[in-house]
């Protein structure tokens, strides 16, 4: 067993060294970097889990190299943005050791990860940046991506009266309105643009609902996607973000761009920050 582990460790190190510094003539120009690049998010999953070789060959359960610690260790250190000074060698090493010690692998259908899609729309004739938060939803056969939440700055003040709108009567329904069977509700709906004054202070309009209403009324028109990134909470006690990097060298493609440990209960606050709630 010790010999097998030692052999796999040597093999993994040699494989990555081969990608980082090939002998002259071993690869065509740029081919080593192409192999090292994590070109697809699905490949990020496989490399994180140790389910493919450095040349892209898939390996499966029953193969001694499948999810081996040595192979995964080599990959984990390469799957991070090495140009980000916040991802220090100590932080990367701590994360990799905890992942490997726990035997944690990423599960594509395991939840606790989602996409953030930045897209440009015309909303009411004006260009707006919209953040779509996409999740995988299981279906009777397979799964599909769905919109789980949305943020657009143009909806932040959806219940505020429009600039220049005439000042309504005070937005006030007498506390004895129930004795009038709330017939004075007509006052609230006399100027619909000012309904916000009759809504509870604790109410926050849901941006996805407002956006879908605009889209169905053809007031929101899609233009293009400008950026995509992924948020992961699948490793207990950690959060990381995965972003695509297009740049020279082997450390490119889909990489961990942010990484930090999570204190107990911190994930909820972090999710609120991501969703801009």
């Amino acid at each position: 067993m010790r010999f097998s582990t030692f052999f796999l460790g040597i093999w993994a190190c040699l494989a990555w060294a081969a990608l980082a510094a090939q002998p002259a003539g071993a690869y065509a120009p740029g081919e080593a970097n192409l192999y090292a690049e994590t070109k697809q998010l699905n490949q990020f999953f496989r490399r994180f889990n140790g389910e493919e070789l450095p040349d892209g060959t898939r390996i499966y359960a029953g193969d001694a190299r499948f999810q081996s610690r040595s192979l995964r260790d080599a990959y984990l250190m390469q799957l991070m943005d090495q140009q980000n000074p916040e991802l220090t060698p100590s932080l990367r090493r701590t994360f990799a050791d905890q992942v490997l010690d726990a035997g944690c692998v990423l599960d594509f259908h395991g939840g606790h990860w989602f996409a953030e899609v930045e897209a440009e729309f015309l909303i009411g004739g004006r260009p707006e940046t919209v953040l779509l938060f996409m999740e995988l939803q299981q279906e009777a056969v397979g799964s599909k991506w769905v919109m789980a939440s949305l943020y657009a700055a143009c909806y932040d003040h959806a219940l505020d009266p429009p600039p220049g709108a005439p000042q309504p009567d005070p937005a006030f329904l007498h506390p004895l309105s129930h004795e009038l069977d709330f017939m004075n509700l007509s006052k609230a709906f006399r100027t619909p643009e000012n309904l916000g004054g009759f809504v509870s202070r604790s109410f926050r309009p849901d941006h996805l609902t407002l956006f879908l209403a605009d889209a169905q009324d053809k007031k929101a028109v899609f233009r293009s996607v400008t950026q995509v990134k992924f948020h992961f909470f699948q490793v207990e006690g950690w959060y990381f973000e995965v972003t695509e990097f297009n740049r020279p060298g082997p450390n490119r493609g889909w990489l961990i761009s942010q990484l930090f440990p999570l204190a107990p209960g911190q994930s909820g606050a972090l999710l609120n920050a991501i969703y801009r709630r």
Side-chain angles (χ1 to χ4, degrees):
M1 179 64 69
R2 289 180 180 175
F3 175 79
S4 176
T5 302
F6 173 78
F7 176 79
L8 286 171
I10 294 296
W11 175 86
C13 292
L14 289 175
W16 274 110
L19 292 180
Q22 285 294 331
Y27 286 113
E31 192 175 7
N33 289 344
L34 183 63
Y35 276 123
E37 178 184 0
T38 304
K39 292 174 282 297
Q40 296 179 326
L41 190 73
N42 283 0
Q43 189 175 37
F44 176 89
F45 272 79
R46 293 195 298 270
R47 289 185 167 186
F48 189 101
N49 294 346
E51 296 171 359
E52 77 167 34
L53 302 182
D55 65 359
T57 302
R58 294 285 302 275
I59 50 177
Y60 300 92
D63 189 313
R65 299 164 295 183
F66 180 78
Q67 296 185 356
S68 69
R69 184 183 181 102
S70 53
L71 177 60
R72 296 192 67 201
D73 185 53
Y75 271 133
L76 285 170
M77 301 305 287
Q78 293 290 328
L79 286 174
M80 303 191 202
D81 176 17
Q82 297 173 0
Q83 297 184 21
N84 183 349
E86 295 182 359
L87 299 182
T88 63
S90 174
L91 178 65
R92 287 186 279 146
R93 184 71 268 162
T94 298
F95 175 70
D97 286 344
Q98 291 189 20
V99 167
L100 296 172
D101 289 345
C104 175
V105 294
L106 298 181
D107 182 353
F108 189 83
H109 296 289
H112 303 292
W113 74 287
F114 56 92
E116 178 180 331
V117 180
E118 179 181 295
E120 294 299 322
F121 282 80
L122 286 177
I123 299 180
R126 300 178 58 183
E128 300 284 353
T129 298
V130 173
L131 301 180
L132 288 157
F133 298 96
M134 313 291 294
E135 294 180 358
L136 280 172
Q137 177 175 285
Q138 295 297 312
E139 297 292 316
V141 178
S143 60
K144 66 180 183 181
W145 285 100
V146 295
M147 292 181 284
S149 186
L150 179 144
Y151 174 79
C154 59
Y155 296 128
D156 275 341
H157 303 286
L159 293 179
D160 293 350
Q167 293 298 313
D169 294 334
F172 176 77
L173 292 179
H174 194 279
L176 293 179
S177 296
H178 60 286
E179 301 292 2
L180 304 173
D181 295 330
F182 289 99
M183 292 302 295
N184 55 346
L185 274 172
S186 60
K187 174 183 179 180
F189 292 94
R190 198 173 299 140
T191 52
E193 66 274 16
N194 296 306
L195 275 171
F198 295 90
V199 176
S200 166
R201 285 193 300 269
S202 63
F203 175 74
R204 293 293 178 270
D206 178 75
H207 286 206
L208 179 56
T209 301
L210 297 173
F211 172 81
L212 291 176
D214 278 347
Q216 289 177 332
D217 289 341
K218 298 186 176 6
K219 295 178 182 177
V221 181
F222 174 80
R223 299 183 73 181
S224 65
V225 170
T226 53
Q227 186 182 34
V228 176
K229 56 186 174 182
F230 298 88
H231 303 276
F232 283 82
F233 291 83
Q234 283 197 5
V235 178
E236 185 175 359
W238 290 86
Y239 160 81
F240 63 89
E241 176 186 293
V242 175
T243 309
E244 187 176 23
F245 294 87
N246 293 311
R247 62 191 181 197
N251 186 227
R252 67 187 189 192
W254 291 100
L255 304 172
I256 293 175
S257 53
Q258 290 192 52
L259 170 71
F260 48 83
L262 292 174
Q266 190 180 0
S267 59
L270 178 57
L271 281 168
N272 286 337
I274 292 171
Y275 287 133
R276 279 70 166 179
R277 290 172 176 164

